[in-house]
């Protein structure tokens, strides 16, 4: 079986998220990912990309973010590489408190928790001024 890999490099702007979606949708179709694995891939990519863009560049620095997806034996490997400020995504946040009702729930903080719930592993590496976040998402090929 030939390796299935999709790569896209975009600006660190939320307006470039559709280009990330398009590349990952192409990957999911080419790799014949089941719908559940495709949805998890898209959700995790959106969360990590959005967080990087929103919080990783406090001075509004211009950068590019490389996003890739690769099909492995038991996982889809999603990788994001950027020059945002260092942040360790590999540490799983604690489970959110269960509020009595939705209106008392704090906004934010649930995205990275959800990433860790969907992933088998989240790895963060720093090489010079570059961050590399690797997420291993389980899949089942039909």
């Amino acid at each position: 079986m030939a390796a299935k890999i999709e790569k896209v490099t975009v600006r660190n702007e939320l307006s470039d998220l559709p280009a990330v979606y398009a590349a990952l949708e192409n990957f999911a179709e080419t790799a014949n990912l089941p719908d559940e694995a495709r949805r998890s891939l898209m959700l995790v990519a959106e969360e990590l990309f959005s967080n990087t863009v929103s919080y990783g560049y406090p001075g509004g620095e211009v950068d590019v973010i490389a996003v890739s997806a690769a099909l492995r034996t038991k996982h889809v490997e999603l990788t994001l590489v950027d020059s945002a400020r260092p942040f360790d995504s590999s540490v799983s946040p604690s489970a959110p408190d269960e509020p009595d009702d939705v209106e008392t729930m704090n906004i934010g903080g649930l995205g990275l928790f959800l990433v860790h719930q969907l992933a088998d592993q989240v790895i963060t590496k720093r090489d010079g001024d570059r961050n590399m976040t690797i997420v291993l998402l389980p899949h089942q090929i039909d």
Side-chain angles (χ1 to χ4, degrees):
M1 171 173 88
K4 293 179 174 49
I5 298 173
E6 186 77 27
K7 297 178 184 180
V8 64
T9 300
V10 296
R11 298 169 299 168
N12 61 327
E13 297 180 13
L14 291 177
S15 62
D16 277 8
L17 189 55
V20 174
Y21 287 148
L24 295 178
E25 285 287 0
N26 185 60
F27 167 79
E29 184 177 327
T30 303
N32 195 29
L33 286 184
D35 200 43
E36 184 177 346
R38 182 193 61 78
R39 283 193 307 267
S40 292
L41 174 64
M42 301 300 279
L43 184 69
V44 168
E46 177 182 0
E47 181 61 30
L48 294 175
F49 183 84
S50 297
N51 281 352
T52 299
V53 171
S54 298
Y55 306 112
Y57 302 93
E61 301 87 349
V62 175
D63 191 21
V64 294
I65 300 173
V67 180
S68 64
L71 187 62
R72 305 293 183 222
T73 304
K74 295 182 181 181
H75 295 97
V76 171
E77 182 179 297
L78 174 67
T79 304
L80 283 82
V81 179
D82 59 70
S83 291
R85 68 180 180 157
F87 180 78
D88 189 356
S89 299
S90 68
V91 178
S92 180
S94 57
D97 295 331
E98 294 185 33
D100 291 332
D101 65 21
V102 174
E103 293 169 8
T104 63
M105 189 175 198
N106 290 331
I107 296 174
L110 295 176
L112 190 55
F113 176 77
L114 181 60
V115 167
H116 280 269
Q117 293 300 300
L118 294 171
D120 282 344
Q121 188 172 13
V122 179
I123 303 160
T124 300
K125 299 178 182 180
R126 183 87 175 163
D127 183 14
D129 69 343
R130 305 289 286 163
N131 299 304
M132 179 182 290
T133 304
I134 302 164
V135 181
L136 300 179
L137 296 161
H139 73 77
Q140 296 176 345
I141 301 298
D142 291 342

